Amino acid sequence: QEWIDHATANILARHIRAGYPYYSPARIDNAASTYLVCLSVIAVVAVIGWAWTIRAFTRGRRWTRPAATAIFLLGVGVLLTALLITDTSGARGLPALLGWVGLAPCLPGLLSVILLWRTR
């Protein structure tokens, strides 16, 4: 997870440090790692959900349209929660840049759901 935080120029660690200036560097690293693990688990669950939906659609399952719509809405809800929730410091739990980047994969999901409903 550390390479992910380095790729984002330590945005998450700086965000935590700003909200909790009395945290030690080790505690900040631990909090950032925990947050990144949670976000990674959410991403893996999303990939599994979309792979399951794609497989069901290719097999002609009738329930794939509502399932894809539900997965999309659940994903948007989780990501909006991550973007908008405030932590105990009063700041947003996730830096805005990471939250908006997290919402970016929802655009292809939206397109996929639209195309599923338009396909016969």
Side-chain angles (χ1 to χ4, degrees):
Q1 293 84 12
E2 187 175 336
W3 63 271
I4 295 172
D5 199 32
H6 286 299
T8 60
N10 294 313
I11 292 170
L12 187 55
R14 281 197 312 255
H15 180 75
I16 294 168
R17 190 175 301 109
Y20 300 94
Y22 51 89
Y23 273 16
S24 68
R27 194 165 181 191
I28 289 171
D29 288 343
N30 188 30
S33 293
T34 301
Y35 220 135
L36 291 173
V37 166
C38 291
L39 294 174
S40 297
V41 167
I42 290 169
V44 168
V45 169
V47 168
I48 290 169
W50 283 113
W52 171 72
T53 304
I54 290 167
R55 183 174 178 186
F57 182 75
T58 59
R59 292 181 176 209
R61 305 289 192 242
R62 300 176 81 194
W63 48 263
T64 55
R65 287 177 180 94
T69 304
I71 290 171
F72 171 74
L73 292 174
L74 182 63
V76 169
V78 167
L79 288 169
L80 283 174
T81 300
L83 179 63
L84 300 175
I85 198 165
T86 56
D87 63 17
T88 57
S89 72
R92 298 276 183 224
L94 192 62
L97 176 63
L98 292 180
W100 290 113
V101 167
L103 282 173
C106 292
L107 297 177
L110 176 62
L111 179 61
S112 299
V113 169
I114 290 170
L115 290 175
L116 273 173
W117 283 102
R118 297 186 90 196
T119 303
R120 296 211 180 268

